[in-house]
Amino acid sequence: SKPDTALHHLSFWLKRAAEAVNQAFEEISSTNPTLANEIKSRSLFQWESHVDAKRVSPIGIPVIIAGTKYDVFGIQESENKKWLCRAIRYNAHVNGCDLTF
């Protein structure tokens, strides 16, 4: 409900998700290293031939970012909306996430 804090919250939750996935990968690799390597390689597979392959650091699981509360966001100035959407799209791309509004 506060568009000005959206990037802060997005960064926080993406970091938390990445930490949880990395912890799960560590647990899996201690018991079954081949399975952990296979899961990691599958998450990187879709980015192998992408132009930004070196910039993208996928979290390791499919993540969808859903932008909601357009009634609050819609009353923002057009320029603010444009830059906020660009920043959210960039963060989603760099973390290998899907984004929908």
Side-chain angles (χ1 to χ4, degrees), residues 3 15-16 33 36 46 49 51 56 68 72 79 90-91:
K15 183 179 175 183
R16 293 292 303 261
Q46 69 181 10
S49 61
V51 176
V56 176
T68 61
V72 177
E79 195 69 18
Y90 174 78
N91 279 299

Side-chain angles (χ1 to χ4, degrees), residues 8-29:
H8 173 71
H9 291 291
L10 176 62
S11 297
F12 172 80
W13 287 111
L14 287 175
K15 183 179 175 183
R16 293 292 303 261
E19 289 171 356
V21 169
N22 288 336
Q23 183 180 4
F25 278 146
E26 288 175 11
E27 291 175 11
I28 292 171
S29 55

Side-chain angles (χ1 to χ4, degrees), residues 12 19 35 38 52 60 65:
F12 172 80
E19 289 171 356
L35 178 62
E38 183 179 338
D52 292 336
I65 300 169

Side-chain angles (χ1 to χ4, degrees), residues 14-25 28 35-47 56-64 92-98:
L14 287 175
K15 183 179 175 183
R16 293 292 303 261
E19 289 171 356
V21 169
N22 288 336
Q23 183 180 4
F25 278 146
I28 292 171
L35 178 62
N37 289 334
E38 183 179 338
I39 292 170
K40 284 183 182 181
S41 66
R42 284 186 184 187
S43 70
L44 294 171
F45 176 74
Q46 69 181 10
W47 297 102
V56 176
S57 299
I59 291 176
I61 58 170
V63 176
I64 300 173
H93 179 69
V94 166
N95 289 287
C97 304
D98 293 321

